[in-house]
Amino acid sequence: ENCVPIIVAINKCDVDGADIDGVKGQLMDNGLTVEDLGGSVISVEISAKTGHGLDDLTDAVMLVAETEDLRADSKAPGEFLIIERKFQKGTSLRLHAIVRWGTVRVGDFFVSGREYGKIRELHNCRGKKIKEAGPSTPILISGLRGEECLGDEGLVVKNEKTAKEIVAYRMDREAYADIWQHRVQQQEQNRKIHRSKPRNRDDRGFKDSTQARKRARSKSPVHDVVEVDGTEMDDTLHLIIRADCQGSLEALNDYIGALPANHDAKVSVVKTGVGPPTTSDLTDAEIIPNCKILMFSLKLTNSLLKEANKRKIPLSAHDVIYDFMDQVRDSLSAMLPPVEKTNILGTGEFLQALKLNTRGKGTAVAAGLKGRSG
């Protein structure tokens, strides 16, 4: 629909029983008709494991780029697309990205979402240090602050002052959008109850952009966890998850989302991030009821464990996803109410009520039974 050239790479063609024709049929059902079936979409059969077809895929990309006259200006300020975040010991957070436009150089300041940073190191896809990277180059970027999201664009700017101004503008825009939405909701509520009541300071908005930015920065999932009246949700297990890369976080979220629903014990992921838990994570875990911090493929240091024990925060680290999920299930099971079970030792048929003399203590009634089992 957007007239963007598309090349389809069909992977795992080396696997026995691979249904390549079935894949092409599914593509046709979604509006992509490959050349083999009379369409205009180029399809290449590849195997990422064996390397089969990768040269053909490269040739197809070059052919489309030449035919469509797709060009990038290597002299323009760099733009890159973030495709992965990964924590690596000794190098802090690394971004895996692809340069989309211009040239990215070591020392450049950039903006991504509501964060900015300075590129301190660049590596190519083989891990070799480089000083600059042009269009279509896969790169690894080191020396970043904040937690940029997958799919975000990184834009190279002139200097740090410009980066701060752009981030401030974006935060102002988000904060004012929240204020406006709150005003609309308040007005709608007033219409429904047919009365007017004075609004508090938050309803009127903030006096200046500095205060608005403070509110934007202070957004935390903690506020969404505790109910308005201050009562705690004792039937919900809250998790703060930290992993080595964004891909691991997505897989863990998928596994947790697939857990069967239970009215007596629920699980909620309130916060995720790449790299070891931060001081903010520990503080949030103290405030949020029934909250645990789970780490995946990260080393649990003695200092971190000591701080968690000092604050009485449940903290555990796992390297196998099945052990991670077992920890979640065990935590949920511990929150379930006790189940009462009745063990039947024997059964009998009631025949008659018998009156017994208790030797001066009156009479007692006993049941005359005929044993059936037990």
Side-chain angles (χ1 to χ4, degrees), residues 177-190 199 202-206:
D178 292 340
I179 294 170
W180 179 256
Q181 183 180 7
H182 185 77
R183 284 181 175 179
V184 172
Q185 293 175 351
Q186 186 69 36
Q187 291 174 0
E188 185 66 25
Q189 184 180 2
N190 290 339
R199 293 174 293 176
D202 288 338
D203 294 331
R204 294 194 304 269
F206 296 92

Side-chain angles (χ1 to χ4, degrees), residues 263-276:
H263 296 292
D264 295 322
K266 306 171 186 176
V267 60
S268 173
V269 179
V270 297
K271 203 174 180 184
T272 61
V274 175

Side-chain angles (χ1 to χ4, degrees), residues 207-264:
K207 287 185 176 181
D208 51 43
S209 60
T210 303
Q211 212 169 0
R213 287 196 295 272
K214 286 182 179 179
R215 172 161 179 157
R217 286 194 186 97
S218 64
K219 281 187 176 182
S220 170
V222 176
H223 302 298
D224 299 328
V225 174
V226 182
E227 295 178 340
V228 176
D229 60 357
T231 59
E232 298 179 354
M233 297 179 289
D234 296 329
D235 61 341
T236 303
L237 171 65
H238 299 105
L239 299 178
I240 295 177
I241 302 176
R242 307 290 297 193
D244 62 327
C245 64
Q246 187 68 26
S248 298
L249 286 176
E250 293 177 355
L252 294 172
N253 277 322
D254 290 341
Y255 271 98
I256 293 175
L259 289 173
N262 192 310
H263 296 292
D264 295 322

